[in-house]
Amino acid sequence: MQLPTTFEKLVDEANQMGLYKKLIIQLNKDFHLANIDMDFHEEILPSSLKLLLHETIFNLMQEKFIEYLNLLYIIDVPEKQVKDLKGEDIGKLSEAVSFLILKREWQKVWFRNNY
């Protein structure tokens, strides 16, 4: 499996395979497992998803860091990938982490669909 390198490519691939809705469902499932009160509507536009996820991660990083770490653990975002990100600007860092979360969720949905 070749993982998408941008948010747009990830969404395009999910839409082409008819799995965008399942990606949102998986995201909601893992947020609920992490006890984070966030529920993305299954029909959310990709641009809104990107903005809401980024905003949520930004807020978790600043206000609820333990919950943020728990979310990364539950989603199973590789620790090395998070550590490799440049952390000078929390806005850019939270955007990059949001994309890592979506990539990991996409892997789960893709594998479940194909195997």
Side-chain angles (χ1 to χ4, degrees):
M1 170 186 196
Q2 183 69 28
L3 284 173
T5 55
T6 65
F7 174 80
E8 290 75 18
K9 288 180 182 178
L10 189 149
V11 169
D12 285 344
E13 190 173 328
N15 279 326
Q16 287 174 2
M17 297 179 74
L19 297 174
Y20 181 72
K21 191 174 186 178
K22 288 186 179 186
L23 177 64
I24 302 304
I25 291 168
Q26 182 65 47
L27 197 58
N28 284 336
K29 176 183 167 194
D30 286 341
F31 266 76
H32 289 290
L33 285 172
N35 289 324
I36 296 173
D37 188 28
M38 185 62 179
D39 197 27
F40 300 100
H41 190 274
E42 291 178 13
E43 302 299 323
I44 190 170
L45 294 173
S47 57
S48 298
L49 171 65
K50 183 178 182 180
L51 183 66
L52 270 173
L53 183 59
H54 177 219
E55 183 181 302
T56 302
I57 298 303
F58 181 84
N59 289 333
L60 286 172
M61 289 173 124
Q62 287 201 312
E63 299 168 13
K64 298 179 179 180
F65 196 72
I66 298 300
E67 287 87 346
Y68 160 75
L69 293 176
N70 189 41
L71 177 67
L72 294 180
Y73 177 77
I74 286 171
I75 293 175
D76 193 27
V77 175
E79 185 178 346
K80 181 178 179 359
Q81 288 180 0
V82 176
K83 285 184 177 181
D84 288 346
L85 297 174
K86 303 285 185 247
E88 290 112 27
D89 179 7
I90 192 167
K92 289 181 181 177
L93 179 63
S94 59
E95 185 177 8
V97 169
S98 298
F99 182 60
L100 290 177
I101 287 171
L102 278 177
K103 278 198 318 187
R104 181 63 185 120
E105 297 290 37
W106 174 238
Q107 277 183 307
K108 293 177 186 180
V109 170
W110 187 90
F111 277 112
R112 201 170 291 127
N113 186 64
N114 288 298
Y115 298 105

